[in-house]
Amino acid sequence: VTGEVINYMLFTPLVQFDEELQAVPALAESWELTDEGVTFRLRDDLRWHDGQPVTAEDVKFTFDLAKNPETASLLESAYLSMVQSATVLDPHTIRFDFVAPHSQPLQGFWWAPLPRHLLGSVSAAQLPQAPFNRQPVGNGPFRFVSWTPSEQLVVEANPDYPADLGGRPLLDRVVFRIVPEATTRLTEVLTGGVDLSYPLLPDEARQVEAQDRTQLVAYPGREFLYIGWNGEREPFRDPRVRRALAMAIDRTAIIDALMYGYAQLAEAMIPPYSPVAPDITPLPYDPEAARRLLAEAGWTAGPDGILARNGQRLRFTIQTSEDRLRQDIAVIVQEQLRRIGADVQVRAAEFQTFLDQHRNRDYDAVISGWTLDSFRVDPTPLFSCREARTPRSANRAGYCNPEADRLIEAGLRETNDARAREIWTEFSRILQQDMPITFLMWQDQLAAVNPRLQGVEM
């Protein structure tokens, strides 16, 4: 949700994307794209909410911050890994040079610049503590008004927003209320206490759909759920164990039981709507094959049916956050894995505690989710050897396969979608064999809309 507020309300990215995921003008009114780089011509009528003009210097300033290791900016890994440098040509023209020709080059520019005149004097190390973080000055169709942590965020219409970008918003003010308790949140939705609630859990969406007062909006999302196996711990160092456990999980049954049709099976980290989505046969649910694979790896059943090897029982803990859906998934997985002889415990923790343990690879297995920051395909953070060697990186399974690295590099540099699809298919098949994580599902995004709010497009 935060990303949507930033990119659609408070700020104006260089480019936006239409329903076909094609880049359309935003801060950049036009561009010239080659294999070597892209030159953006910026609008000259967009202003920061304090009245200062938005210029190419702001864009370069933001790019340089993202590239500075001291900022630990996600823009670098999520968007800019294939962009080498930025050069200001004039106050409203900027050129980016690429590391190499690569696929989906414009997907790397779905980010908004920061105001140099307000942040230029703040050191990279001090940026997380800057007052700007709690009182942002944007350049989007809405202006920041106030933020009360854990309670609400208030934004109001920007009357000076350029007409051909939509002009002044039709809504005078938007109040984001924080309602952490699911039952209270659903009651607010059904009684009209809120105009729009997002996101909904699948069972909440089903209740919304069953009544006439509130409209349910469902659309494809950018998040997949997965089970992560800690490849740096036993018994998960053996890919046969990881693959066997994956084949013992009936993912379709989990989707049918918990998602009410608002999800589809995931087989890769590339969404099915992507033009380079891999063509890969789903891993089968096959408990018998799972048992055979575990036996091949030396695991045999004891008197109580639990598998053991060299005196060590197949016992581990699945950790997750307090998210109700993920806890429910963990309980079903626990039961399914017990049928093949795995003694699985489930432990839920407060989100930040869970996240810290996951980042530090202090876990056996986890149920978690990954949201694509952009529509650009880049498996590097999750699966590269470089990230496996980096403490607290997104590669929390510690997965490293040089052949997978080779395919990642080839896929990132392939400019032809058909060929890129072939590369990502081969890459996904390697992941299916090695099974560093087990993809579960792509979740639909679900929202409830009060009928008094018209013209909502999610």
Side-chain angles (χ1 to χ4, degrees):
V1 177
T2 303
E4 276 68 25
V5 172
I6 290 172
N7 276 352
Y8 291 103
M9 300 186 80
L10 291 178
F11 291 84
T12 303
L14 284 161
V15 298
Q16 289 283 16
F17 289 89
D18 63 17
E19 293 179 353
E20 303 300 322
L21 300 186
Q22 298 300 308
V24 294
L27 170 57
E29 63 181 6
S30 63
W31 51 83
E32 295 179 11
L33 178 65
T34 68
D35 284 348
E36 290 72 37
V38 59
T39 300
F40 290 107
R41 179 65 187 173
L42 309 183
R43 304 180 62 92
D44 61 5
D45 58 353
L46 199 63
R47 293 185 173 273
W48 296 105
H49 295 154
D50 62 2
Q52 293 295 312
V54 180
T55 72
E57 294 291 349
D58 296 308
V59 179
K60 177 170 169 50
F61 166 72
T62 308
F63 173 85
D64 291 342
L65 279 180
K67 286 291 186 178
N68 185 337
E70 289 187 49
T71 65
S73 170
L74 290 176
L75 283 185
E76 161 63 14
S77 60
Y79 296 92
L80 296 171
S81 61
M82 295 300 292
V83 184
Q84 182 171 325
S85 61
T87 305
V88 173
L89 302 181
D90 66 45
H92 295 98
T93 309
I94 185 167
R95 175 176 174 78
F96 292 94
D97 291 306
F98 298 151
V99 173
H102 58 283
S103 64
Q104 302 174 287
L106 289 177
Q107 308 280 12
F109 295 96
W110 191 43
W111 48 270
L114 295 169
R116 181 188 179 198
H117 67 285
L118 295 178
L119 291 169
S121 61
V122 181
S123 70
Q126 291 300 311
L127 278 174
Q129 287 76 47
F132 182 90
N133 296 319
R134 290 183 172 271
Q135 292 183 310
V137 176
N139 59 4
F142 286 88
R143 301 189 296 201
F144 173 85
V145 175
S146 64
W147 173 38
T148 306
S150 301
E151 291 186 21
Q152 69 176 25
L153 166 73
V154 181
V155 299
E156 66 182 11
N158 173 11
D160 301 320
Y161 202 59
D164 55 351
L165 287 180
R168 182 199 186 281
L170 298 178
L171 295 174
D172 294 331
R173 172 173 287 218
V174 177
V175 178
F176 292 92
R177 289 176 48 204
I178 312 302
V179 185
E181 211 287 311
T183 302
T184 303
R185 191 167 58 241
L186 184 61
T187 300
E188 290 273 25
V189 170
L190 298 179
T191 59
V194 299
D195 295 300
L196 188 146
S197 181
Y198 165 87
L200 299 179
L201 291 172
D203 60 335
E204 296 172 339
R206 194 183 189 195
Q207 294 180 63
V208 170
E209 198 171 33
Q211 50 79 54
D212 298 327
R213 294 185 301 278
T214 306
Q215 175 192 3
L216 177 70
V217 179
Y219 56 101
R222 291 184 285 128
E223 181 182 30
F224 61 83
L225 296 184
Y226 68 94
I227 301 176
W229 315 105
N230 190 341
E232 297 180 346
R233 282 188 183 179
E234 293 293 349
F236 309 111
R237 286 191 172 95
D238 189 336
R240 293 174 296 181
V241 172
R242 303 193 297 260
R243 184 173 170 83
L245 294 173
M247 287 193 294
I249 297 170
D250 190 344
R251 298 175 296 161
T252 300
I254 293 172
I255 292 172
D256 290 345
L258 299 178
M259 302 305 294
Y260 303 103
Y262 302 121
Q264 58 183 304
L265 200 64
E267 215 56 50
M269 73 161 292
I270 304 170
Y273 51 74
S274 169
V276 298
D279 180 13
I280 183 169
T281 303
L283 185 77
Y285 168 58
D286 193 340
E288 287 305 316
R291 292 186 182 95
R292 290 194 298 270
L293 197 54
L294 288 168
E296 178 186 313
W299 295 89
T300 58
D304 59 356
I306 299 301
L307 298 175
R309 183 183 64 182
N310 301 327
Q312 184 70 37
R313 287 160 65 87
L314 186 54
R315 172 183 291 166
F316 60 89
T317 299
I318 294 179
Q319 295 174 223
T320 189
S321 66
E322 294 175 315
D323 181 284
R324 178 159 55 86
L325 173 62
R326 297 180 190 184
Q327 289 185 55
D328 290 345
I329 292 172
V331 170
I332 294 177
V333 169
Q334 176 188 39
E335 174 57 29
Q336 291 179 346
L337 293 182
R338 183 168 184 84
R339 295 173 195 165
I340 64 159
D343 181 10
V344 180
Q345 308 301 311
V346 173
R347 184 167 74 234
E350 182 272 331
F351 177 74
Q352 289 300 329
T353 301
F354 163 76
L355 183 61
D356 195 57
Q357 290 177 319
H358 194 192
R359 284 174 171 167
N360 287 318
R361 302 179 195 171
D362 181 20
Y363 71 95
D364 297 330
V366 298
I367 293 180
S368 190
W370 182 266
T371 301
L372 304 179
D373 295 291
S374 72
F375 303 113
R376 178 172 169 264
V377 174
D378 187 357
T380 304
L382 279 176
F383 299 116
S384 72
C385 291
R386 183 192 71 202
E387 294 301 310
R389 295 188 291 266
T390 303
R392 293 179 63 85
S393 74
N395 187 345
R396 295 159 196 165
Y399 176 68
C400 176
N401 181 330
E403 178 61 13
D405 269 14
R406 183 189 70 79
L407 289 167
I408 289 174
E409 183 174 359
L412 291 177
R413 298 192 177 207
E414 179 55 61
T415 58
N416 179 277
D417 281 353
R419 175 57 188 151
R421 181 184 176 97
E422 294 175 2
I423 294 170
W424 295 127
T425 296
E426 187 178 352
F427 169 77
S428 298
R429 286 177 182 148
I430 288 178
L431 288 189
Q432 199 177 70
Q433 288 295 319
D434 290 348
M435 201 57 65
I437 71 174
T438 297
F439 297 100
L440 294 175
M441 68 188 79
W442 287 98
Q443 291 183 273
D444 286 349
Q445 297 298 295
L446 304 166
V449 182
N450 187 301
R452 84 185 191 109
L453 188 63
Q454 300 293 309
V456 172
E457 294 182 12
M458 301 295 289

